[in-house]
Structure formats: C-alpha cells, structure tokens
C-alpha cells in the first residue's frame, strides 16, 4: 500500500528539481502503449504523465489501468523527453484505488458534446471543461465576497422560505407540508393554509432584496449571496429555476452610485479571474474557438474569450436612458427591415433580448447600463421620477448575455410606495414590515441583483447557463 502523503499535480508541474520521490493520486485519463498513464487529480486541468515499466509489471495490474480508475503511483520525478510536458513520473509502485469498468464508464478519452455531458452531470466534473468552469465559478464567488468585505459591506443571510413575493411577478414555488391527498379545508372548501407548517402560505424566495433593504437601513451597506428560485417556464440558455444571486443594498445612495458599484464589482470579478486563472481561461478560449468553427462566419465572436474579458474590464460602460435606447432601436436597421421578432414601435415597449443584444453587440459594442424605464414594466419598489412616467431602474446588459444585472434606486417615500403597491395589486398589509422602513427614518437607498450564473457564463465563455452550475434546475430538469 502506498501510505505516503500525495503531492498535488499542480505543484509537481511547476517544480524544476528532478530526482525526488513523489506520490500522486488521481484518476486515469488515458493509458497508452501499456506504458504512459495520463493522471489528473483535479488540482489543475493539466495531467501528469506516469511511465510504467510494463515489462516488470504484473499483466493483471496493467489491465486495471483504465480510463476513470482511481490510482496511486509512487516514483521518481524526472525530466520529460515528451513534448508538452516538463516532468513525468517514473513509476516504482502502482496501486489501484478504485477500478473503472472501461466498457461501462461513460467518459471516453475523446470529445463529448456538452448536451451529453449534461446528462451525466455527476461525472462531468472529470472533464477539463468542467474542471475549468467550476474552478472559475469558485473564484468568482470568492472575489465577490472579497470585493464587498474590502469595502465594509455586511454579508446578510436572507431567508430562503418566505411568505412574500419580492418581485410581485407571481413566479414562486410553494413550500408546504400539507398532505396533497387530503389537505385541511376551510368552510368554503378551500385548502386551509392556516393549518400549514408556517400558519400561512409560503414559497421559496425569488429575491432577498426586501430583507436586504431592512438590513441596509441600519447597517448601511449589506449584500446577500444565496440561491433564489423562479417558477418561470423559460426554457432558454439564460434561465434557471434555481440560480444564485448577489444583491447589494446601500443606504444614502442614488442610481448613479448604484451603477458605479455594479460596474466596479463586475470589473473586479473579471480582473480577478484574468489574474488567477490564466490556464483555465486559455483552455476555455480554445474550446470556444473550436466550438465557433461550427458556426457561420457572421455568428462568430469578434474577439476571443481572453481579449473580450480584457476589453470589458477596461472599457467604460455606456450609460443611457430607456428613452434614448428606444430612439436608437426604432431607427435601427433590423427594426426598419423588420428583422426583429418584436418590432419597436412605441415608447413603453418592453425590451426583448434581441433588442438588448443589438444595443450591446451591434450599436455600442460594449456593456450598457440602461436606466429610467417606464414604470409599467418594472417592479413596485423602484423610485418614481419627476416625470411620473419612469422609474429609477437600471439594467446592465453584457455582450452575449443580455441582462446580467437588474437594480434600482428604491422608492423611499411612503405615500408614493403605497400608491405604487395599490396600482400593482401588491398586498401592503402583508408587507407592513417593509413599509416600516419608510415610516421610521426613511432615507434614499439603492441596490441591484447580479445573476451569478450569468456572470460565470460570461467569464467562462460557455453558451448554456446549465453548464455553469453543477446541477441545473430547469423545467422538467431536476436530476441529481
Ligand atoms: O432583474 P431581477 O429579477 O431583479 C431582482 O430580483 C431584484 N430584486 C434585484 C435587486 O434589485 N436587488 O434579477 C436580477 C438578476 C438578473 O439581472 C439576472 O442576471 C438574474 O438575476 N436572473 C436570472 N438568472 C438565471 N436564471 C433566471 N431565471 C434569472 N432571473 C434573473
Ligand atoms: Mg430584471
């Protein structure tokens, strides 16, 4: 048995002293010529090569070195003569930790489609693509906490089970422990949720914003970072039913402060990955170039992944109002030539992703911060402008992604807020606690929500949001 402590492959690939004894544990990626084992232990997307002296190794043992098997090897670290690697291990002792039946193991040493890998999400971590994606996802989460911590924000844990609908859009998953076969009923025959676990109807949260606002109105600057749930039946490459959201909320801040905070956060995160993940980005860049070869010329990206990230991290985001955007869209070629699926005819139209992408990818060619939307198409809590028609909303639109951030300056004036809630049929009695912040020491404040998976999607250059969360939840999809 190999009892010594293992060294991670990432470390070994960086050393330049040869001849030391090392132990490596990992999974076999390939085994060639009965001699060369490519081992990966997850610490890096790069494998280390271990060379077996097959003439002096038991045949039965060699047969068990199959793709997917977990092994331990002990041997000398030597300079490699093969190309593409500096070091390799001359194996002295080899142990199979866990066999992998080559006939049944679904991951073969060849390229698999992302669709196929999604079906075996429990094993896709063992590919370079998903190794890189989930390392970057981890680093982005870390960078977000670091960014806010360095600025003195308080990480607030908002509830996952709530009795409210923060967005007022009615896209919630009910949480109950009542029996479906024989639920308690009221006198008029309706299900009696008073007898449910919480004594009322509850659901999974769609956003931690309302609670974050309560925190901000005392702690000053807070942020949430947790899972949120939406029962919207959107089967797209940008939507999940369970996604993670970062929601900062800042007291004494207006929409400009809010936009600046979001721009700073996004750039910080992108730079963090550029600095800390050169290998993963290089790999993902090449993956994307390869993928785009299948597409017609005019659908390929103008920049490769790394250039795109550097470009976004160094360009000033374009700020403009919804009204200005509508003018641009109305006069745009795809609108005039009726190429848009939804033509822009009047002020007040909701922007579809085709419009957002036109603004970002064709017109400005950089990230866009759109502000001051018509109140009819935005949530009840956004601050009404002097014109009485628009609200202090902001959406940040990213190339290839569309909306990545949604936020606003909040309506801090009690009467205005109550009016908006009446207009939009938001039950004010149930949200008495939210309105209390406007009753007791109200103050201007603002915040936004950053969709974490959309950020990961942008930074990794992946094209389907289901490939940047370990186990995606979407309509008819809840495996693993
Ligand atoms: O624009 P949304 O709905 O805004 C809110 O929830 C506000 N309460 C945020 C706030 O002001 N505190 O969602 C915010 C972001 C979107 O811009 C998008 O990036 C992401 O969350 N998002 C989704 N991501 C994946 N799947 C979905 N179904 C998403 N819905 C929203
Ligand atoms: Mg939004």
């Amino acid at each position: 048995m190999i009892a010594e402590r293992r060294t991670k492959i990432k470390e070994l690939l960086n050393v330049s002293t040869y001849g030391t004894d090392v132990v490596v544990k990992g999974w076999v990626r390939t085994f060639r010529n009965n001699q060369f084992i490519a081992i990966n232990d997850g610490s890096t997307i790069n494998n280390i090569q271990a060379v077996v002296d097959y003439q002096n190794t038991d045949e039965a043992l060699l047969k068990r070195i199959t793709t997917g098997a977990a092994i331990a090897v002990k041997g000398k670290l030597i300079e490699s003569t093969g190309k593409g690697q500096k070091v390799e291990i001359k194996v002295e002792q080899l142990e199979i930790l866990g066999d992998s039946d080559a006939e049944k193991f679904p991951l073969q040493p060849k390229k698999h489609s992302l669709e196929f890998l999604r079906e075996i999400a429990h094993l896709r971590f063992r590919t370079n693509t998903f190794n890189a994606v989930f390392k970057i996802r981890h680093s982005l989460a870390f960078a977000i906490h670091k960014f806010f911590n360095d600025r003195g924000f308080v990480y607030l844990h908002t509830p996952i089970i709530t009795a409210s609908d923060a967005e007022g859009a009615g896209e919630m998953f009910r949480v109950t422990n009542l029996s479906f076969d024989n639920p308690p009923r009221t006198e008029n025959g309706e299900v009696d949720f008073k007898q449910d676990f919480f004594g009322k109807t509850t659901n999974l949260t769609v956003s931690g914003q309302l609670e974050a606002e309560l925190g901000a109105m005392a702690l000053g600057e807070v942020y949430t970072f947790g899972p949120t749930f939406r029962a919207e039946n959107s089967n797209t490459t940008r939507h999940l039913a369970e996604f993670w959201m970062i929601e900062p909320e800042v007291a004494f801040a207006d929409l400009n402060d809010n936009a600046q905070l979001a721009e700073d956060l996004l750039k910080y995160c992108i730079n963090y990955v550029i600095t800390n993940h050169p290998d993963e980005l290089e790999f993902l860049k090449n993956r994307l170039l390869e993928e785009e070869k299948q597409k017609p010329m005019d659908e390929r990206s103008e920049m490769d992944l790394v250039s795109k990230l550097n470009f976004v991290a160094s360009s000033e985001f374009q700020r403009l109002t919804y009204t200005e955007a509508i003018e641009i869209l109305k006069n745009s070629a795809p609108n005039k030539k009726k190429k848009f699926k939804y033509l822009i005819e009047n002020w007040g139209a909701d922007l579809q992703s085709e419009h957002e992408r036109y603004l970002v990818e064709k017109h400005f060619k950089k990230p866009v911060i759109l502000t001051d939307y018509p109140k009819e198409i935005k949530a009840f809590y956004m601050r009404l402008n002097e014109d009485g028609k628009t609200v202090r909303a902001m959406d940040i639109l990213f190339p290839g992604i569309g909306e990545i951030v949604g936020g606003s300056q909040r309506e801090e004036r009690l009467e205005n807020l109550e009016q908006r809630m009446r207009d939009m049929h938001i039950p004010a009695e149930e949200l008495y606690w939210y309105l209390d912040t406007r009753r007791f020491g109200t103050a201007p404040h603002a915040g936004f929500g950053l969709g974490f998976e959309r950020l990961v999607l942008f930074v990794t250059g992946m094209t389907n949001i289901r490939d940047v969360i370990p186990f995606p939840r979407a309509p008819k999809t809840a495996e693993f």
Side-chain angles (χ1 to χ4, degrees):
M1 240 198 39
I2 297 174
E4 291 90 336
R5 234 177 60 92
R6 73 177 175 118
T7 309
K8 289 189 187 172
I9 293 171
K10 186 179 174 132
E11 254 173 72
L12 292 180
L13 293 179
N14 283 327
V15 303
S16 45
T17 44
Y18 305 112
T20 50
D21 286 316
V22 295
V23 169
V24 159
K25 298 183 183 181
W27 293 270
V28 175
R29 282 289 175 84
T30 57
F31 183 39
R32 288 185 301 116
N33 299 351
N34 232 7
Q35 249 191 107
F36 305 108
I37 320 173
I39 310 175
N40 188 283
D41 68 359
S43 62
T44 155
I45 53 176
N46 299 312
N47 306 327
I48 199 160
Q49 174 161 291
V51 188
V52 192
D53 177 5
Y54 65 98
Q55 279 156 333
N56 296 307
T57 306
D58 179 16
E59 189 125 352
L61 185 62
L62 289 173
K63 282 221 168 70
R64 293 171 66 196
I65 308 174
T66 53
T67 299
I71 62 170
V73 299
K74 191 175 146 185
K76 288 241 172 338
L77 192 68
I78 59 171
E79 191 168 5
S80 177
T81 48
K83 65 171 180 343
Q85 66 224 3
K86 241 173 44 184
V87 295
E88 61 186 32
I89 299 168
K90 192 169 181 301
V91 177
E92 283 157 12
Q93 199 183 338
L94 184 143
E95 189 186 331
I96 307 285
L97 302 174
D99 287 286
S100 173
D101 185 338
E103 302 276 288
K104 296 195 181 124
F105 186 56
L107 283 172
Q108 296 305 316
K110 62 157 196 175
K111 262 210 161 25
H112 291 289
S113 75
L114 294 172
E115 289 76 17
F116 171 72
L117 293 173
R118 227 169 278 148
E119 285 166 20
I120 51 160
H122 57 304
L123 296 171
R124 67 179 177 171
F125 297 112
R126 297 195 194 183
T127 64
N128 284 346
T129 299
F130 289 96
N131 183 307
V133 166
F134 292 121
K135 287 238 173 72
I136 290 178
R137 183 180 166 108
H138 157 78
S139 279
L140 283 168
F142 181 80
I144 285 162
H145 284 300
K146 181 154 169 47
F147 174 88
F148 285 119
N149 185 63
D150 288 352
R151 291 183 176 220
F153 280 63
V154 175
Y155 178 26
L156 200 69
H157 296 101
T158 51
I160 288 174
I161 300 175
T162 73
S164 55
D165 178 2
E167 291 301 299
E171 295 168 331
M172 299 171 302
F173 290 102
R174 177 67 56 83
V175 174
T176 177
N177 75 339
L178 289 181
S179 146
F180 282 98
D181 303 327
N182 187 20
R185 306 231 174 231
T186 62
E187 279 171 14
N188 354 342
E190 288 162 355
V191 175
D192 185 7
F193 286 101
K194 285 212 177 71
Q195 295 188 49
D196 202 349
F197 189 90
F198 296 104
K200 54 165 86 172
T201 57
T202 49
N203 50 272
L204 294 176
T205 188
V206 295
S207 155
Q209 179 196 321
L210 302 191
E211 290 90 352
E213 283 188 51
L214 311 181
M217 296 310 283
L219 297 161
E221 293 172 315
V222 302
Y223 71 104
T224 73
F225 188 168
T228 48
F229 307 86
R230 302 223 176 149
E232 52 186 336
N233 205 1
S234 305
N235 236 321
T236 79
T237 55
R238 303 278 174 272
H239 288 88
L240 289 165
E242 176 179 304
F243 64 99
W244 288 66
M245 186 155 56
I246 298 97
E247 296 185 275
E249 196 66 38
V250 182
F252 316 115
D254 65 13
L255 195 66
N256 288 327
D257 303 322
N258 206 29
Q260 195 58 52
L261 180 69
E263 186 171 340
D264 290 349
L265 171 65
L266 288 165
K267 287 178 173 171
Y268 181 89
C269 289
I270 295 168
N271 279 322
Y272 188 88
V273 173
I274 292 173
T275 309
N276 291 286
H277 288 286
D279 288 357
E280 285 78 9
L281 284 183
E282 186 63 22
F283 176 83
L284 291 170
K285 176 185 101 174
N286 293 328
R287 190 205 71 81
L288 188 60
L289 287 173
E290 208 49 47
E291 186 185 278
E292 292 202 332
K293 279 190 192 155
Q294 329 272 321
K295 290 188 181 173
M297 274 300 198
D298 62 329
E299 281 175 33
R300 296 184 196 173
S301 317
E302 286 175 27
M303 281 182 219
D304 70 39
L305 178 63
V306 177
S307 315
K308 182 188 77 176
L309 295 180
N310 278 302
F311 171 74
V312 168
S314 60
S315 52
E316 201 173 314
F317 295 4
Q318 180 72 41
R319 299 187 192 196
L320 74 159
T321 64
Y322 165 90
T323 305
E324 290 164 335
I326 286 290
E327 280 311 306
I328 294 171
L329 290 167
K330 248 200 226 162
N331 298 318
S332 68
N335 202 53
K336 288 185 167 160
K337 293 188 195 145
K338 303 205 181 337
K339 287 267 166 64
F340 282 145
K341 190 160 165 236
Y342 298 90
L343 293 180
I344 297 287
E345 273 148 3
N346 300 311
W347 188 91
D350 203 354
L351 299 185
Q352 307 295 325
S353 82
E354 56 181 346
H355 308 127
E356 298 177 341
R357 295 184 67 164
Y358 174 82
L359 289 170
V360 174
E361 289 159 30
K362 297 280 182 297
H363 191 83
F364 291 110
K365 293 183 184 284
K366 60 175 171 167
V368 166
I369 308 184
L370 270 187
T371 62
D372 302 287
Y373 283 72
K375 65 179 180 192
E376 285 75 18
I377 57 173
K378 287 292 177 187
F380 69 93
Y381 48 70
M382 300 190 178
R383 193 179 201 277
L384 190 66
N385 278 318
E386 312 294 71
D387 62 13
K389 291 192 332 197
T390 59
V391 288
R392 294 300 267 159
M394 79 172 189
D395 275 8
I396 301 188
L397 315 177
F398 257 34
I401 304 288
E403 179 188 338
I404 192 165
V405 162
S408 73
Q409 184 170 338
R410 314 307 188 191
E411 182 55 83
E412 86 281 15
R413 299 162 295 186
L414 181 63
E415 272 162 33
N416 286 37
L417 184 56
E418 284 177 331
Q419 184 58 50
R420 288 285 291 149
M421 289 170 83
R422 273 193 298 277
D423 292 349
M424 299 183 83
H425 311 291
I426 308 287
E429 324 75 59
E430 286 169 27
L431 288 178
Y432 73 91
W433 46 272
Y434 181 66
L435 290 167
D436 266 0
T437 51
R438 276 65 171 173
R439 294 193 180 100
F440 308 118
T442 192
H445 60 290
F448 63 83
L450 164 63
F452 186 54
E453 284 74 20
R454 296 207 183 160
L455 175 64
V456 182
L457 201 55
F458 178 74
V459 174
T460 58
M462 299 296 283
T463 41
N464 190 320
I465 200 162
R466 297 178 193 198
D467 294 333
V468 298
I469 186 164
F471 302 106
R473 299 290 178 253
K476 305 279 179 293
T477 304
E479 194 65 30
F480 313 110

